[in-house]
Amino acid sequence: MPHTTGVRPEMVSRVIPVDPFDLVIFGGTGDLARRKILPGLFRRFRSGQMPEGAHVIGAARSDMDDAAYRDMVREAIGEHGGSEAKDSKALEHFLEHVRYVAVDARGNTGWDALKEVLREDEGLVRAFYFSVGPGLFAELAEGLRRHGLADAETRIVVEKPFGHDLESARALNEELARHFHETQIYRIDHYLGKETVQNLMAVRFGNMLFEPLWNSQYVDHIQITVAETVGVGGRGSYYDKSGAMRDMVQNHLMQLLCLIAMEPPARFEPDAVRDEKLKVIRALDPVDPDSIVRGQYTSDGTVNSYREDAENPLSKTESFIALKTYISNWRWANTPFYLRTGKRLSARASEIAVVFKDAPHSIFGIDAGRHSNVLSIRLQPNEGMTLGVTIKEPGPGGMRLVDVPLDMTFADALGPEAEEVPDAYERLIMDVIRGNQTLFMRGDEVEAAWAWTDPLIEGWQRRGDSPKPYDAGSSGPDDAAFLINRDGRRWRGVRQ
Ligand code: NAP
């Protein structure tokens, strides 16, 4: 009997512990480990999802013992672990599961010590998180094999950036494939671990309501915006070799676009989902040069300009990009997808907006106004979804129409538990331990994304295009507004 109402059995037990594991974090002293990975693991430990048999082993070149590493982890969780970090009893218990080994990924030191720390128990999951610079990914994979630390069951987690272009991504895929099978490789895009992103799939494929309308017949256009208020300060010289296209569009915005546009997979299983995403990327049209606007922030007197942050006075790297693209398939023919992302913008806000077409005929006359429904999927802040619907404006004065939001902010709808939305990293790490690759990028997906991105970058490099300046704290260059306005549309405001 299908469940129609009430609490389903799977909701009763929300905490599903994973198998015991040894998780080695290469780069265990780095920024990502301290801000995201370790606090995330602690939260999972505290909520009972990490078994007693779980070991977390930090690995980096720095020379320290377990006690010194635990001090570092304690401090990192105190700083980045939110209110849960105040639970000092749980924190001390968690730290008992944490160890450290000094290993140089480039040399031969430390590997034997690491081998000694790792357990050989049957059923124990062994995973290595490559939270080190991308230049070390291939060497680490090779080192794990050479030193006998990996077998056919071992999993590796590879951070971004995955290559710099198609050629380098292909080379890295080949290098990893020499030592690990594709089913063992977990390429992280943390956007896929966000609650709302997964909810997008639930809304699309768990309801009858949206999917029949989810095509070019009913959807006017789609906007994907990832706006940041921060600049590139601190990692300016790295960013200057990358730019918004490589840093954000090729991976994060591309993944969001795939989830919005893909056909329903037959099952919510890794290859079924990733096959459909790959088809979307392969169906993406090349982008005309006049459908791309690149920008670079200038100083507003209170913050550095991009060129100051990048310490490159002649830099032509973009800190902002907006573009219009199309997907050449039956579902989306002629439906524009507008993508925009940038740094030092007026607000930190990420949203996917599905803008539906106007009703074909207004029975209320033109004075009532024309309105279109918009499904807004917010990644931050206030993760949630809003469906704009048109109703009559209350009160006398005739039939005037007004748009009101049907708000599905998770915290409001689902109660306080929904406020504790797990961080993307902790969810993804648990998926690694569970052996579920659904929310990780497959090698061919990454290559297809670069194959679409490379010609666009080569195009502006060949033409010698310079990015348009925009004021720090603004909504980007004026040309970005023109890109969409000339089609009779406009960007949605970025809400704080
Ligand atoms: P980071 O702060 O520079 O940390 C690098 C880590 O790697 C340190 O623990 C360092 O420790 C270790 N390391 C360096 N060389 C090593 C070697 N030869 N052998 C073993 N360990 C070595 O970098 P991060 O910001 O954490 O970034 C790590 C990775 O995550 C990068 O690929 C980055 O692109 C990616 N990522 C980071 C963020 C973020 O928010 N930070 C976001 C997305 C992706 P020792 O110096 O002691 O060896």
Side-chain angles (χ1 to χ4, degrees):
M1 262 260 303
H3 296 283
T4 49
T5 55
V7 177
R8 294 184 304 277
E10 65 269 25
M11 290 172 70
V12 174
S13 168
R14 299 170 65 104
V15 178
I16 309 162
V18 297
D19 286 334
F21 61 84
D22 278 347
L23 172 67
V24 178
I25 309 170
F26 281 107
T29 57
D31 177 68
L32 185 66
R34 278 183 283 116
R35 281 193 310 110
K36 294 288 181 185
I37 303 173
L38 291 160
L41 284 166
F42 169 60
R43 271 195 294 274
R44 287 286 155 144
F45 178 81
R46 195 168 165 269
S47 67
Q49 287 171 65
M50 252 172 74
E52 277 302 318
H55 286 188
V56 176
I57 301 131
R61 289 167 306 177
S62 304
D63 189 22
M64 65 175 110
D65 59 12
D66 287 345
Y69 187 62
R70 285 177 185 151
D71 287 345
M72 193 218 80
V73 176
R74 188 184 291 109
E75 196 186 308
I77 293 174
E79 194 176 342
H80 304 290
S83 58
E84 290 173 66
K86 294 197 182 86
D87 185 347
S88 52
K89 201 169 152 212
L91 181 53
E92 293 311 313
H93 191 189
F94 171 72
L95 290 172
E96 288 168 18
H97 297 73
V98 174
R99 304 200 54 183
Y100 180 80
V101 180
V103 188
D104 185 353
R106 282 238 146 95
N108 284 322
T109 49
W111 293 94
D112 289 342
L114 183 57
K115 198 169 184 177
E116 261 173 42
V117 167
L118 296 174
R119 296 166 293 169
E120 299 285 349
D121 308 1
E122 197 166 329
L124 185 94
V125 176
R126 184 180 289 186
F128 296 93
Y129 196 129
F130 293 7
S131 182
V132 291
L136 290 174
F137 294 163
E139 274 173 87
L140 265 181
E142 200 267 331
L144 291 174
R145 275 292 183 204
R146 185 157 42 91
H147 294 282
L149 273 73
D151 63 18
E153 302 298 320
T154 304
R155 293 155 205 179
I156 58 168
V157 185
V158 186
E159 259 302 332
K160 84 168 216 186
F162 198 92
H164 188 69
D165 53 16
L166 176 58
E167 196 186 335
S168 54
R170 222 177 237 159
L172 181 53
N173 271 334
E174 281 168 14
E175 199 59 42
L176 297 181
R178 284 181 34 207
H179 310 292
F180 294 93
H181 189 263
E182 182 62 36
T183 53
Q184 300 178 272
I185 304 171
Y186 291 72
R187 295 175 194 78
I188 279 225
D189 185 320
H190 70 274
Y191 272 58
L192 291 179
K194 287 180 184 281
E195 187 76 11
T196 328
V197 172
Q198 291 172 69
N199 240 311
L200 169 60
M201 287 190 274
V203 164
R204 271 195 72 188
F205 304 129
N207 296 285
M208 192 55 202
L209 198 59
F210 296 106
E211 202 48 27
L213 308 179
W214 210 263
N215 56 56
S216 58
Q217 207 179 337
Y218 298 101
V219 173
D220 178 71
H221 73 281
I222 286 172
Q223 298 184 17
I224 302 178
T225 298
V226 177
E228 297 178 278
T229 50
V230 294
V232 300
R235 59 181 201 120
S237 56
Y238 156 76
Y239 188 93
D240 204 42
K241 294 188 207 79
S242 164
M245 186 67 160
R246 287 189 171 103
D247 192 49
M248 296 297 294
V249 177
Q250 185 273 344
N251 39 47
H252 305 317
L253 275 76
M254 177 74 79
Q255 290 296 320
L256 300 180
L257 183 146
C258 285
L259 296 180
I260 279 281
M262 71 183 185
E263 296 300 314
R267 284 171 301 281
F268 190 53
E269 283 177 3
D271 279 336
V273 172
R274 298 186 301 176
D275 286 346
E276 297 307 335
K277 282 164 57 197
L278 179 62
K279 285 184 210 161
V280 172
I281 305 175
R282 289 191 172 152
L284 274 176
D285 278 357
V287 184
D288 290 339
D290 73 349
S291 292
I292 304 178
V293 176
R294 296 163 63 239
Q296 205 179 60
Y297 61 81
T298 54
S299 173
D300 64 355
T302 60
V303 295
N304 279 345
S305 68
Y306 173 80
R307 289 179 174 189
E308 285 164 340
D309 277 342
E311 296 175 13
N312 180 359
L314 299 174
S315 172
K316 285 188 174 183
T317 302
E318 75 283 355
S319 58
F320 174 98
I321 189 163
L323 61 85
K324 176 172 73 166
T325 186
Y326 291 92
I327 299 171
S328 282
N329 64 17
W330 271 54
R331 184 186 283 266
W332 295 116
N334 301 319
T335 307
F337 285 72
Y338 297 95
L339 274 50
R340 151 180 83 143
T341 182
K343 301 209 173 281
R344 283 268 183 256
L345 296 177
S346 56
R348 176 170 178 261
S350 303
E351 182 202 61
I352 306 169
V354 181
V355 182
F356 290 90
K357 289 185 172 169
D358 290 352
H361 166 68
S362 170
I363 65 167
F364 306 110
I366 47 169
D367 290 347
R370 302 277 292 187
H371 299 264
S372 50
N373 303 113
V374 178
L375 178 67
S376 153
I377 300 139
R378 286 185 311 277
L379 278 66
Q380 64 192 19
N382 307 325
E383 284 200 65
M385 298 193 192
T386 306
L387 178 64
V389 291
T390 303
I391 62 163
K392 177 190 171 298
E393 195 175 321
M399 183 61 104
R400 293 184 316 276
L401 302 185
V402 64
D403 290 336
V404 293
L406 281 182
D407 205 334
M408 297 174 273
T409 305
F410 300 142
D412 295 346
L414 302 175
E417 274 185 57
E419 280 184 44
E420 292 173 19
V421 172
D423 184 79
Y425 279 95
E426 63 186 83
R427 177 197 309 280
L428 292 173
I429 295 170
M430 287 301 121
D431 278 356
V432 174
I433 305 300
R434 290 195 180 94
N436 183 350
Q437 289 186 304
T438 310
L439 300 175
F440 296 84
M441 294 177 296
R442 211 169 50 192
D444 51 3
E445 265 186 85
V446 180
E447 289 185 20
W450 281 121
W452 178 78
T453 314
D454 277 0
L456 310 185
I457 297 174
E458 282 156 19
W460 71 61
Q461 286 176 342
R462 198 174 46 247
R463 292 188 301 275
D465 291 353
S466 292
K468 308 273 187 255
Y470 63 93
D471 292 339
S474 71
S475 53
D478 293 343
D479 283 12
F482 181 65
L483 171 79
I484 189 166
N485 295 349
R486 72 185 179 194
D487 296 340
R489 304 180 174 104
R490 60 196 169 84
W491 291 113
R492 290 164 53 78
V494 279
R495 275 203 291 160
Q496 186 60 281

